[in-house]
Amino acid sequence: MRLDLSPTSWGRVIAVTVAGTAFFIAVAFFVDSFNFPYLSPEALWHAELTDLLLPLVLGGSFLFFLMWKIRQLAIAQRDLSVIAATDSLTAVLNRGAFSMLVEAYLEQTRKQEQPRSGALLIIDADHFKSINDRLGHDSGDQALKLIAQAIKGQLRGSDIVGRIGGEEFGVFLPGVDPSQSWLVAEGIRRRIREMDFSPGGRACPLSVSIGGTSFSGPTTYEAIFSAADRRLYAAKSNGRDQVSFDPAEASLVSQPSVATVH
């Protein structure tokens, strides 16, 4: 079993406390050892006991307190980093954190000899302004939370999801081919369409338009975002509540009742 020595772990606190205390005891014995030959047996026993207990009590307590405070600071820093990267309403990544993580992945793939595939989806809530206008902003916020939950429910642990606009979400799917990414997008669309959203007892069907693009070689976040955004525009122009992929990569479009190919 591997000991966790991360800054937020108790393992690090205990390991540093034990190692540091042992070092203090060793130093105390080393410094006092020059006097040992001149001490009586009783005085030698008292000196050795002092060299053991003094560093153990004082040094051990000090190190434990210091490492405990350092651990608290590390936890606070981690929590602040999570808060800074998370959209407070939907609990997914915010736009800056999402784009940074996607670009970091793409930059890593550009350095590798073997091409890696993936896809980017842009998901936009249909007629969202009318929800706010008719039902109020609280209902609009609830709708966004439900949409975010539906998106996360369709994703793998390695996928990345973020809120990149008011009612717009981005999903990055590393290592998938066009057909797989289309199935994920279609699953998201269907799941949201089938959700029960009835604020105040008033039924309000939700739907989303999804634009996507896939890649199988070196690319940039700006390039795939622009391609996915164009497909999103096409999905909304063609009637909304559908998935549209870049024809250069996936050539697939799904609609609520029929499927066509661009």
Side-chain angles (χ1 to χ4, degrees):
M1 183 176 179
R2 187 176 180 179
L3 182 63
D4 182 9
L5 296 178
S6 64
T8 60
S9 70
W10 277 109
R12 187 187 184 100
V13 175
I14 295 171
V16 173
T17 300
V18 171
T21 302
F23 174 75
F24 291 156
I25 292 173
V27 170
F29 269 90
F30 174 76
V31 171
D32 215 13
S33 64
F34 296 102
N35 297 321
F36 288 169
Y38 308 105
L39 299 178
S40 65
E42 184 177 356
L44 177 62
W45 182 82
H46 282 293
E48 290 175 341
L49 189 63
T50 300
D51 291 341
L52 175 64
L53 293 180
L54 194 61
L56 184 64
V57 174
L58 296 181
S61 300
F62 170 76
L63 281 175
F64 180 82
F65 177 77
L66 177 63
M67 294 306 300
W68 174 58
K69 299 302 287 185
I70 291 175
R71 177 178 177 269
Q72 286 186 318
L73 289 173
I75 292 174
Q77 185 178 25
R78 181 196 62 191
D79 292 344
L80 286 174
S81 298
V82 171
I83 292 172
T86 303
D87 176 64
S88 59
L89 177 64
T90 59
V92 299
L93 295 174
N94 58 33
R95 184 185 183 96
F98 176 79
S99 61
M100 181 180 67
L101 286 177
V102 174
E103 181 55 43
Y105 176 88
L106 295 175
E107 183 177 359
Q108 184 180 20
T109 62
R110 289 195 293 267
K111 296 178 181 178
Q112 298 175 349
E113 295 182 1
Q114 185 176 0
R116 298 182 66 177
S117 61
L120 176 69
L121 310 177
I122 301 180
I123 303 165
D124 189 86
D126 294 331
H127 307 294
F128 186 74
K129 185 177 184 301
S130 66
I131 296 177
N132 283 331
D133 293 342
R134 290 186 295 109
L135 304 175
H137 288 277
D138 288 342
S139 296
D141 289 347
Q142 184 62 31
L144 289 177
K145 291 178 182 179
L146 289 175
I147 291 172
Q149 291 172 6
I151 294 171
K152 289 189 290 186
Q154 294 293 116
L155 303 181
R156 308 163 301 171
S158 59
D159 299 331
I160 303 172
V161 57
R163 184 182 177 193
I164 58 177
E167 64 271 17
E168 200 168 76
F169 295 86
V171 172
F172 183 69
L173 307 169
V176 299
D177 59 34
S179 60
Q180 290 173 319
S181 55
W182 181 85
L183 289 174
V184 172
E186 175 64 5
I188 291 172
R189 187 196 68 80
R190 288 181 178 273
R191 186 165 184 160
I192 294 171
R193 186 63 180 174
E194 295 168 357
M195 284 193 310
D196 179 23
F197 179 58
S198 303
R202 301 171 59 184
C204 180
L206 296 176
S207 68
V208 294
S209 300
I210 304 177
T213 189
S214 59
F215 66 91
S216 58
T219 187
T220 64
Y221 177 72
E222 290 78 10
I224 59 175
F225 184 89
S226 296
D229 195 48
R230 287 193 297 270
R231 301 319 308 165
L232 174 64
Y233 179 80
K236 297 180 82 68
S237 299
N238 290 335
R240 295 182 168 84
D241 191 20
Q242 61 182 259
V243 177
S244 176
F245 264 89
D246 188 339
E249 295 288 342
S251 297
L252 291 169
V253 171
S254 71
Q255 296 182 1
S257 57
V258 297
T260 60
V261 178
H262 286 303

